[in-house]
Amino acid sequence: MTKTLYLMRHGETLFNQQKKIQGWCDSPLTEKGIKQAQIAGAYFNDHGIDFDDAYTSTSERASDTLEQVTDRSYKRVKGLKEWNFGRFESESEALNPPLPYGDFFVGYGGEEEGQFRERVSETLMKIMKEAGKTVLGVSHGASCRQFMRNWAHTSDVDQKDRLGNCCILKFEFEHDTFRLQEIINHDFSNLE
């Protein structure tokens, strides 16, 4: 059976607004972030997309986003958490090294890129094997990007697009394989 995963980034947070690194630490959604999530929810409604199951990272910003998108009950899953940036958590984004980060954060108590990618990928594989046909997952920018990179070899979709807040990645899941079908970045210019 072919299933569909809608993997979504959370809405704008206070730390996003303040340009702070936000991995395992958390900050609340801004008013703009709440409106972004509501617009994403309207996208699903307008396209007649109903979820059989919903999952979110254990971070409050992700579960708060999901609650604006759907009133469906959901499960919080640690494996969907953002990259652990160690001592860089809640510091200025200006301290980030140039991409790719690789093992940079390990020396500061953070997570290694390969382990992080594997954690998110294994979590979503387990979810999709157990879940219904249409699944919503709300996670984080780097989590979504690393999962997309893990499955880049199965898709022809250009993956250079920025993954903005409440961006939706639509994946087809069949025979233990994910195929990215679409990257949906909403127009939030009216919220500026």
Side-chain angles (χ1 to χ4, degrees):
M1 171 175 61
T2 302
K3 298 182 180 184
T4 304
L5 168 66
Y6 292 94
L7 181 61
M8 184 175 143
R9 184 182 175 200
H10 61 77
E12 182 192 72
T13 66
L14 181 63
F15 277 12
N16 291 149
Q17 201 175 64
Q18 295 174 344
K19 307 247 182 274
K20 289 188 174 187
I21 297 169
Q22 182 176 232
W24 282 19
C25 68
D26 210 359
S27 71
L29 294 179
T30 60
E31 284 301 314
K32 180 179 177 182
I34 291 167
K35 290 176 184 166
Q36 289 171 332
Q38 290 167 347
I39 289 169
Y43 169 86
F44 292 120
N45 286 334
D46 294 348
H47 289 83
I49 299 166
D50 293 315
F51 304 110
D52 296 308
D53 294 289
Y55 299 83
T56 180
S57 148
T58 54
S59 298
E60 188 174 295
R61 63 191 184 268
S63 57
D64 286 353
T65 297
L66 187 143
E67 289 172 8
Q68 294 295 322
V69 171
T70 180
D71 57 3
R72 168 166 283 295
S73 63
Y74 61 91
K75 294 179 186 169
R76 298 175 79 223
V77 181
K78 286 184 182 182
L80 294 179
K81 283 178 77 165
E82 180 61 293
W83 197 328
N84 179 351
F85 295 115
R87 284 183 245 148
F88 282 78
E89 300 264 333
S90 78
E91 297 293 340
S92 170
E93 288 179 359
L95 297 176
N96 273 333
L99 291 169
Y101 297 153
D103 296 344
F104 176 82
F105 296 104
V106 173
Y108 300 94
E111 198 169 12
E112 189 268 326
E113 184 172 4
Q115 290 174 334
F116 167 52
R117 183 181 299 175
E118 188 175 313
R119 167 174 60 82
V120 173
S121 297
E122 286 178 359
T123 299
L124 286 167
M125 179 68 73
K126 183 176 187 292
I127 284 171
M128 293 306 289
K129 284 182 172 186
E130 297 171 359
K133 188 171 179 182
T134 305
V135 179
L136 173 64
V138 179
S139 191
H140 308 271
S143 300
C144 293
R145 177 70 68 187
Q146 289 294 328
F147 182 71
M148 198 167 66
R149 283 185 182 141
N150 191 61
W151 291 98
H153 64 284
T154 64
S155 174
D156 295 328
V157 173
D158 182 5
Q159 299 189 10
K160 293 179 184 159
D161 283 357
R162 182 174 181 274
L163 303 185
N165 290 108
C166 289
C167 172
I168 300 166
L169 305 176
K170 180 182 179 183
F171 287 91
E172 175 187 274
F173 178 74
E174 187 176 31
H175 305 301
D176 292 350
T177 301
F178 289 90
R179 267 180 227 77
L180 180 63
Q181 297 184 307
E182 189 176 6
I183 299 174
I184 303 150
N185 272 304
H186 308 283
D187 178 11
F188 296 130
S189 57
N190 62 329
L191 301 179
E192 302 302 324

